[in-house]
């Protein structure tokens, strides 16, 4: 059946098909539960994920409060991850093709591009972190800082720019290797990264005088603290940001689950691989970050910067692991998805490899160091902000696949310009309208959070809506989409009998 489908959809002149976008065959479905668990473990044990809980400590939360915020956000995002991932495992199609069922074959380019641009931002952030690890490693080896003089217009040192460029070039070597190489790399490096995190915790406990002083470090939300009485007001937005952290993967998870040997493999692998390891990393992160308050008098939320302060042979090994980890994590989490997405924009001209090169180029242009200048910008502008953009897409995909189609797709029609998913000249106007309406309520709050001068006067209710941006966008878009499809007869017209 897969071969017959490939012959039909892969015929000459079909601009909606290329070998990278084609449904996976039985021979390609080799991923077991342990592979998904290892993949998630590899993506979770990463510097940006470490900085989530560490950033909440820097924002004033206690160790326990920060861990609960991270855990709750990741349990919540696991739900859309499994619901959308089901389509990839059942039908073998990537996210950019799945979106054609709800947005139309031409309209699907919009959510694919939105998700791709966000992933390019993440790719740049991870590359910046990896370059920073290399620079710190070299600095420890020679015994001095290698940041160098500032580059005019960029706000970073010459050494930082060169290390960023070097790490960017190293990662390009892996673009041609494909997902199988990423799977193997994550499977072998995941346990090593846990050991490295464990050693960092051991250092923190030995320097801070044990776990007791760390756990008793007061929260800024306690009575008499700088943020007393504001905990629940800030906890919700923090959970939203934690949910938004994996908002990109929640959409393009079919890019991975399409290789699953069975539905059970992808479900079990993700349930085991995501919430638990995230909670473990959050615990390690808050222990270390809370310890830095006692050791240095202020929280150090960046583990690469912390490693530079510690010094020693162990740090050299740790920085090498961080560098290796960043390569594998960055490719798995931030290059695979946008590479497929860009390929879907112009399948005849853009291959998976070319899409990877485009991702790498945009990752430089967004100047990722600007996104990591503060925990406020990283958590509440970057994470919450793109959650406002991608939440509506998740709501539409879930509503379309589960509520309207009951998990049934006409796969052949996904590659057919004249098929049931053509709608109006390739656009499903119901999905486009639902997406716009889902994004709109969060836009004023985002402009305010981003610090635009023109948005300085924006207040409630817009700022409160933005505090829960991913949930607001997903809920509104899903409701509008289902109502519009049923009212206009679109659900019946595109349904699979």
């Amino acid at each position: 059946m897969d071969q017959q489908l490939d012959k039909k959809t892969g015929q000459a002149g079909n601009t909606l098909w290329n070998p990278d976008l084609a449904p996976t065959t039985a021979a390609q479905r080799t991923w077991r539960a342990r592979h998904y668990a290892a993949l998630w473990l590899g993506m979770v044990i990463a510097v940006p994920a470490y900085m989530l809980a560490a950033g909440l400590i820097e924002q004033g939360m206690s160790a326990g409060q920060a861990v609960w915020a991270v855990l709750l956000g990741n349990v919540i995002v696991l739900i859309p991850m499994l619901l959308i991932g089901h389509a990839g495992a059942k039908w073998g199609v990537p996210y950019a093709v799945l979106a054609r069922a709800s947005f139309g074959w031409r309209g699907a380019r919009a959510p694919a591009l939105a998700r791709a641009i966000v992933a390019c931002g993440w790719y740049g952030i991870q590359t910046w972190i990896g370059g920073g690890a290399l620079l710190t490693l070299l600095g420890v080896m020679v015994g001095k800082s290698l940041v160098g003089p500032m580059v005019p217009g960029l706000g970073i040192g010459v050494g930082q720019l060169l290390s960023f460029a070097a790490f960017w070039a190293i990662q390009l070597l892996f673009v041609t290797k494909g997902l199988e190489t990423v799977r193997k790399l994550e499977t072998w490096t995941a346990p090593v990264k846990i050991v490295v995190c464990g050693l960092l915790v051991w250092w923190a406990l030995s320097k801070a005088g044990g776990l007791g002083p760390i756990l008793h470090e007061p929260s800024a939300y306690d009575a008499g603290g700088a943020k007393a009485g504001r905990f629940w007001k800030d906890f919700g937005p923090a959970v939203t940001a934690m949910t938004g952290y994996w908002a990109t993967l929640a959409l393009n998870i079919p890019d991975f689950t399409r290789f699953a040997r069975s539905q059970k493999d992808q479900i079990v692998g993700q349930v085991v691989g995501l919430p638990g390891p995230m909670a473990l990393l959050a615990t390690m992160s808050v222990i270390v970050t809370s310890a830095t308050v006692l050791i240095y008098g202020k929280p150090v939320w960046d583990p690469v910067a912390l490693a530079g302060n510690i010094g020693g042979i162990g740090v050299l090994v740790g920085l090498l692991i961080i560098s290796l980890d960043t390569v594998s994590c960055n490719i798995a989490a931030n290059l695979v998805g946008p590479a497929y997405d860009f390929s879907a924009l112009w399948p005849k001209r853009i291959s998976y490899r070319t899409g990877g090169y485009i991702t790498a180029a945009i990752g430089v242009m967004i100047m990722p160091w600007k996104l990591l200048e503060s925990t406020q910008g990283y958590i509440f502008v970057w994470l919450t902000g793109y959650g406002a953009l991608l939440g509506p897409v998740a709501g539409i995909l879930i509503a379309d696949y589960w509520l309207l189609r009951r998990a049934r797709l006409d796969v052949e029609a996904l590659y057919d310009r004249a098929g049931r998913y053509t709608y109006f000249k390739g656009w499903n106007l119901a999905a486009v309208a639902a997406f716009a309406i889902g994004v709109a309520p969060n836009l004023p709050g985002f402009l305010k959070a981003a610090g635009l001068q023109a948005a300085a006067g924006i207040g409630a209710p817009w700022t409160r809506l933005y505090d829960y941006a991913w949930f607001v966008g997903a809920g509104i878009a899903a409701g509008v989409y289902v109502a519009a499809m049923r009212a206009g007869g679109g659900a019946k017209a595109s349904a699979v009998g």
Side-chain angles (χ1 to χ4, degrees):
M1 180 177 177
D2 291 327
Q3 293 178 345
Q4 292 177 349
L5 181 61
D6 284 351
K7 289 179 180 179
K8 286 184 178 181
T9 59
Q11 57 191 340
N14 187 346
T15 58
L16 297 182
W17 184 96
N18 69 27
D20 296 317
L21 298 177
T24 49
T25 63
Q28 292 174 299
R29 293 171 176 259
T30 59
W31 290 41
R32 299 173 181 246
R34 69 173 184 271
H35 296 132
Y36 286 102
L39 178 74
W40 271 115
L41 187 59
M43 291 192 292
V44 164
I45 308 297
V47 174
Y50 174 101
M51 294 166 78
L52 292 177
L56 293 178
I57 293 292
E58 203 269 348
Q59 285 285 311
M61 286 191 182
S62 68
Q65 291 166 346
V67 170
W68 275 112
V70 173
L71 178 60
L72 182 57
N74 281 271
V75 168
I76 291 172
V77 81
L78 180 64
I79 297 172
M81 200 85 68
L82 295 176
L83 292 176
I84 297 174
H86 182 280
K90 184 172 184 179
W91 304 104
V93 295
Y95 157 68
V97 173
L98 173 64
R100 294 172 183 170
S102 51
F103 282 83
W105 61 263
R106 182 175 278 133
R109 294 169 181 170
L113 186 60
R115 186 260 177 267
I117 294 300
V118 171
C120 289
W122 269 121
Y123 187 84
I125 288 174
Q126 289 272 34
T127 303
W128 171 253
I129 290 171
L134 285 180
L135 189 65
T136 303
L137 173 62
L138 293 174
V140 171
M141 292 175 66
V142 302
K144 66 178 182 178
S145 172
L146 298 177
V147 171
M150 291 295 106
V151 179
L154 294 183
I156 58 175
V158 172
Q160 291 174 305
L161 179 61
L162 291 176
S163 63
F164 175 67
F167 199 80
W168 181 87
I170 290 171
Q171 290 180 122
L172 286 186
L173 297 176
F174 288 84
V175 171
T176 60
K177 302 301 181 181
L179 273 178
E180 198 61 22
T181 300
V182 174
R183 188 198 74 176
K184 292 177 180 178
L185 190 59
E186 293 287 14
T187 300
W188 286 103
T189 60
V192 179
K193 289 182 285 190
I194 294 179
V195 173
V196 172
C197 288
L199 292 175
L200 194 58
V201 171
W202 172 80
W203 170 87
L205 292 176
S206 63
K207 290 292 185 180
L211 192 59
I214 294 174
L215 294 181
H216 286 88
E217 188 68 18
S219 165
Y221 297 94
D222 292 343
K227 297 184 178 181
R230 291 176 49 190
F231 176 73
W232 292 111
K233 181 181 178 181
D234 291 352
F235 185 74
V239 171
T240 302
M242 300 306 107
T243 303
Y245 179 78
W246 292 118
T248 51
L249 265 294
L251 293 184
N252 80 283
I253 192 64
D255 296 342
F256 297 93
T257 59
R258 64 198 293 248
F259 296 98
R261 196 181 58 158
S262 69
Q263 200 69 249
K264 180 181 178 181
D265 281 303
Q266 72 95 3
I267 292 174
V268 172
Q270 293 203 79
V271 170
V272 171
L274 178 56
M278 278 298 291
L280 176 63
L281 179 66
T283 302
M284 293 178 172
S285 172
V286 298
I287 288 175
V288 176
T289 307
S290 298
T292 61
V293 177
L294 299 172
I295 299 168
Y296 300 114
K298 64 178 182 179
V300 181
W301 72 299
D302 182 350
V304 175
L306 177 60
N309 292 333
I310 298 173
I313 186 63
V315 171
L316 298 180
V317 175
L319 287 171
L320 285 173
I321 295 297
I322 288 176
S323 300
L324 178 63
D325 154 58
T326 304
V327 171
S328 60
C329 176
N330 208 15
I331 293 173
N334 305 314
L335 187 135
V336 172
Y340 279 126
D341 295 339
F342 286 126
S343 179
L345 295 178
W346 198 1
K348 193 174 181 180
R349 299 294 184 187
I350 302 177
S351 66
Y352 168 84
R353 183 185 301 181
T354 304
Y357 293 147
I358 294 173
T359 301
I362 296 177
V364 174
M365 292 186 288
I366 57 100
M367 294 196 293
W369 49 90
K370 296 291 185 182
L371 299 175
L372 294 176
E373 285 183 335
S374 69
T375 55
Q376 176 69 26
Y378 175 58
I379 295 176
F380 298 109
V381 178
W382 170 241
L383 296 181
T384 306
Y386 76 67
L389 179 66
L390 301 184
V393 180
I396 292 170
L397 291 182
I398 293 171
D400 180 80
Y401 183 71
W402 288 101
L403 299 182
L404 299 183
R405 307 190 192 284
R406 307 296 181 184
R408 292 177 295 175
L409 292 174
D410 182 346
V411 178
E412 186 176 330
L414 291 171
Y415 302 87
D416 186 357
R417 286 174 175 262
R420 69 174 75 241
Y421 306 121
T422 298
Y423 300 104
F424 178 72
K425 298 182 179 180
W427 292 84
N428 184 0
L429 299 182
V432 174
F435 174 72
I437 295 172
V439 170
N442 290 314
L443 187 57
F446 170 74
L447 297 177
K448 173 69 176 290
L452 267 68
Q453 191 64 36
I458 293 176
W462 306 113
T463 53
R464 295 305 295 165
L465 285 174
Y466 178 72
D467 285 342
Y468 300 89
W470 190 92
F471 303 104
V472 170
I476 291 177
V480 170
Y481 178 74
V482 171
M485 287 290 283
R486 287 176 174 169
K492 184 177 181 180
S494 62
V496 179

